[in-house]
Amino acid sequence: MTEPTPGRDRLRELLDAVLDEENTRLADMAGHAFTSPFHFTRRLTRDTGEPPVALRRRVLLERAAWQIGQGSSVTDAAFAAGYASVEGFTRAFGRAFGRPPSSTTPGSGTWLSAPNGIHFHPPIHLWIEEKPEDRPGMDLTALQIHHDVDDTAHLIRLAEGLSEEAYRRVRAPGLTVLGWDGPEESVAAVLDRLVRAKEVWLASIDGADLPEPGADDTGGLLERHTRVGARWITTVDGIGRRGAWGDRLIDALCDPPESFVLGSVVAHVLTYSAHRRQLVRHMLRAEGLEVDHGDPIEWLQDRHHDGGTQ
């Protein structure tokens, strides 16, 4: 084995191997660092708390976010980040940032949560925080929020396989999840309430007017959900970063206005969203569609698998 270059930090050499443009596979990274893939992975994971493939994927997504914010096309950023297709990049970017890459602006955040404080720093450097955020390896609230948003989009896409009549067919006469939301007797109605709940609560948090009802066909719902899902993820992340779970929201959309603790609002949305997503699954199965369980365990496993096969 070749000895590290004198005067250079070994961890820095390992990071260089991870982020070299030519090292798209784990074997390439290890070869660059003159070690085996096993020892390379063990050393880097020990020293950074993040496996090399995951670290490379995250930093390149951060770079892609910066590039798009600077005016790069999504297509160019996708291929520069090593993705074989724009579609695969868009899915990975949305899961990581909670927004589609096309919505990225110069003011959008470009850093993702990292256990080691290692981030992309423009134009071609790394930034290593002296004291990265002191948080557990897995943020449970973030996991639930992202799973909810991803799963809702998944169900809307599944519903595209229904005829218009089946989509709007009354499946559960008189079914009411929350009294003020009215009946939710069809796939269309439950999916609409899934999306509208976030639209209404975000309006309350932002101090905006009650939003007008939007299109409830699957295309319209998916467009609404893409917009509100990204805003919801960003809003909840901001609450967490500020430690504002105990702050109170005076909701002027209620008559009379009511006071709500922000943490309870997020828990409320997650609770009834999970309930509605399972209702939709039962309705879709009744229409003869093959539907998964909506299990966050399976979702997280698939997410990690997809991220490793860019």
Side-chain angles (χ1 to χ4, degrees), residues 61-72 74 93 97 99-111 230 234:
L61 279 174
E62 292 180 344
R63 185 181 71 175
W66 176 79
Q67 290 171 332
I68 295 169
Q70 296 300 305
S72 171
V74 172
F93 190 100
F97 286 98
R99 64 174 188 267
S102 57
S103 71
T104 300
T105 64
S108 302
T110 61
W111 281 6
T234 300

Side-chain angles (χ1 to χ4, degrees), residues 40-142:
F40 181 80
T41 300
R42 185 175 67 174
R43 169 70 186 272
L44 198 78
T45 303
R46 184 196 70 191
D47 289 351
T48 70
E50 196 170 15
V53 172
L55 192 155
R56 176 183 174 85
R57 180 173 64 247
R58 177 180 58 76
V59 171
L60 291 184
L61 279 174
E62 292 180 344
R63 185 181 71 175
W66 176 79
Q67 290 171 332
I68 295 169
Q70 296 300 305
S72 171
S73 71
V74 172
T75 299
D76 288 345
F79 291 127
Y83 287 80
S85 70
V86 176
E87 292 76 14
F89 170 74
T90 299
R91 288 195 299 271
F93 190 100
R95 286 195 296 264
F97 286 98
R99 64 174 188 267
S102 57
S103 71
T104 300
T105 64
S108 302
T110 61
W111 281 6
L112 296 167
S113 177
N116 43 43
I118 298 172
H119 298 283
F120 170 74
H121 183 59
I124 56 172
H125 306 294
L126 286 179
W127 182 287
I128 303 181
E129 296 176 282
E130 182 181 4
K131 295 181 180 179
E133 285 185 80
D134 183 16
R135 63 169 63 184
M138 177 175 291
D139 185 325
L140 185 57
T141 302

Side-chain angles (χ1 to χ4, degrees), residues 7-283:
R8 281 185 58 82
D9 180 83
R10 181 55 173 163
L11 176 59
R12 179 66 220 205
E13 291 193 343
L14 297 178
L15 291 174
D16 287 345
V18 169
L19 299 172
D20 188 283
E21 294 288 350
E22 303 299 319
N23 296 343
T24 58
R25 301 176 305 147
L26 177 61
D28 299 328
M29 301 176 200
H32 184 113
F34 305 103
T35 186
S36 70
F38 172 78
H39 287 98
F40 181 80
T41 300
R42 185 175 67 174
R43 169 70 186 272
L44 198 78
T45 303
R46 184 196 70 191
D47 289 351
T48 70
E50 196 170 15
V53 172
L55 192 155
R56 176 183 174 85
R57 180 173 64 247
R58 177 180 58 76
V59 171
L60 291 184
L61 279 174
E62 292 180 344
R63 185 181 71 175
W66 176 79
Q67 290 171 332
I68 295 169
Q70 296 300 305
S72 171
S73 71
V74 172
T75 299
D76 288 345
F79 291 127
Y83 287 80
S85 70
V86 176
E87 292 76 14
F89 170 74
T90 299
R91 288 195 299 271
F93 190 100
R95 286 195 296 264
F97 286 98
R99 64 174 188 267
S102 57
S103 71
T104 300
T105 64
S108 302
T110 61
W111 281 6
L112 296 167
S113 177
N116 43 43
I118 298 172
H119 298 283
F120 170 74
H121 183 59
I124 56 172
H125 306 294
L126 286 179
W127 182 287
I128 303 181
E129 296 176 282
E130 182 181 4
K131 295 181 180 179
E133 285 185 80
D134 183 16
R135 63 169 63 184
M138 177 175 291
D139 185 325
L140 185 57
T141 302
L143 184 147
Q144 293 180 83
I145 294 293
H146 281 268
H147 174 248
D148 172 39
V149 169
D150 274 9
D151 198 42
T152 300
H154 169 64
L155 290 172
I156 295 172
R157 293 189 181 98
L158 283 178
E160 291 176 336
L162 298 177
S163 67
E164 179 70 9
E165 188 277 330
Y167 179 61
R168 300 188 182 280
R169 180 183 300 152
V170 173
R171 276 279 166 195
L175 174 66
T176 302
V177 176
L178 291 167
W180 55 81
D181 284 332
E184 301 179 35
E185 303 171 320
S186 64
V187 172
V190 181
L191 287 176
D192 176 71
R193 300 305 191 281
L194 266 170
V195 175
R196 185 157 175 79
K198 294 182 179 67
E199 293 173 333
V200 171
W201 278 111
L202 282 173
S204 298
I205 292 170
D206 294 341
D209 293 333
L210 184 68
E212 292 293 328
D216 69 345
D217 60 285
T218 53
L221 274 178
L222 195 56
E223 183 178 340
R224 287 167 56 196
H225 175 66
T226 298
R227 290 196 303 267
V228 78
R231 288 179 55 217
W232 178 246
I233 288 171
T234 300
T235 298
V236 176
D237 182 63
I239 293 170
R241 282 188 289 102
R242 298 193 311 273
W245 298 113
D247 288 5
R248 285 190 171 271
L249 159 71
I250 307 299
D251 189 354
L253 298 181
C254 297
D255 187 18
E258 291 189 47
S259 170
F260 301 98
V261 175
L262 282 178
S264 71
V265 169
V266 174
H268 167 91
V269 173
L270 285 171
T271 296
Y272 289 101
S273 182
H275 177 58
R276 284 173 167 135
R277 285 187 278 112
Q278 292 308 313
L279 283 177
V280 172
R281 281 182 160 81
H282 290 310
M283 294 180 178

